[in-house]
Amino acid sequence: MSIPVSTDKWAGNFDCSICRRKRLVGAEFSKKALERHRKTGAALKCKKCTSALEERERLEAAAKSSRSGRGAATEIRSDEDASEERATCAACERSLPASRFNRNQLSKKERARCRKCVERSVEDEERARKSSREEKLEEIKRKIGEADAKGNAAERLKYESQLSAMEAEHVTGLKP
């Protein structure tokens, strides 16, 4: 009986151009970045570096808007300021100053979400994606065990193949 391989230690063939980490697996990069890299050979930026850059941009924008008096980052400032345009967040349903929304979200009118809700949504989606992948892996490993217990070699091969395909997707970033 074979023991499932841990893909945590597998080395990929990708390097981050920002943090200079080498031999990263495809799961460390966005799908779009990998596609662009395969088509044009563009430099890759890992998810950690991308999120760090986005966070820095958000902080710089908040600092800039607070210096200019718009107050996007100041929670102390009263929401009752009537001189500023207001919008209602579709997620938390609060009426907030327009400075608490990104321009892209404001253009969505009644579906606009405030910055905090957008950030929370992105974090929730990432958590759900990770847990979904882990659940699929556990389910396949459970089915492999069941096939082993039954002594059904064809079924075991089927599930081992599915497990290998998921591990390969993790490493290469390519779906089977």
Side-chain angles (χ1 to χ4, degrees):
M1 174 160 120
S2 67
I3 298 171
V5 177
S6 172
T7 59
D8 296 350
K9 298 176 184 163
W10 284 11
N13 196 25
F14 304 107
D15 304 333
C16 178
S17 62
I18 305 297
C19 64
R20 304 287 187 214
R21 290 186 302 155
K22 306 246 184 257
R23 296 175 46 108
L24 299 173
V25 295
E28 292 283 334
F29 302 92
S30 71
K31 183 178 177 182
K32 196 74 164 174
L34 287 172
E35 287 175 4
R36 193 176 336 116
H37 176 70
R38 287 188 181 101
K39 287 181 182 177
T40 65
L44 286 170
K45 193 177 354 174
C46 69
K47 289 179 182 177
K48 286 182 182 178
C49 291
T50 303
S51 64
L53 288 172
E54 288 174 352
E55 181 65 25
R56 188 173 57 197
E57 285 177 4
R58 274 195 295 275
L59 291 174
E60 288 173 0
K64 181 180 176 184
S65 65
S66 66
R67 280 192 307 266
S68 69
R70 287 182 24 197
T74 56
E75 291 295 325
I76 302 167
R77 188 168 170 238
S78 172
D79 284 345
E80 309 306 320
D81 187 8
S83 64
E84 189 172 1
E85 182 182 336
R86 300 180 74 76
T88 302
C89 175
C92 65
E93 298 178 351
R94 292 173 40 202
S95 178
L96 301 168
S99 61
R100 300 245 180 114
F101 293 82
N102 293 328
R103 272 182 283 161
N104 186 34
Q105 288 294 324
L106 282 174
S107 68
K108 294 180 181 181
K109 304 287 183 209
E110 67 274 348
R111 295 182 329 201
R113 295 180 296 170
C114 65
R115 285 187 176 110
K116 283 187 178 181
C117 289
V118 169
E119 288 175 17
R120 192 177 314 122
S121 171
V122 168
E123 290 169 1
D124 290 347
E125 287 172 7
E126 183 64 22
R127 254 193 311 276
R129 187 187 61 76
K130 282 183 182 179
S131 67
S132 171
R133 181 181 184 282
E134 291 169 1
E135 287 172 5
K136 286 178 187 176
L137 283 172
E138 290 302 316
E139 178 69 16
I140 290 173
K141 288 177 184 177
R142 185 186 59 75
K143 288 180 180 179
I144 290 171
E146 289 175 1
D148 241 2
K150 292 179 188 175
N152 189 341
E155 197 172 309
R156 178 177 167 81
L157 178 63
K158 172 185 169 186
Y159 294 123
E160 287 281 359
S161 297
Q162 288 178 357
L163 181 63
S164 295
M166 286 190 71
E167 291 170 344
E169 179 183 345
H170 175 73
V171 172
T172 63
L174 296 172
K175 287 200 176 207

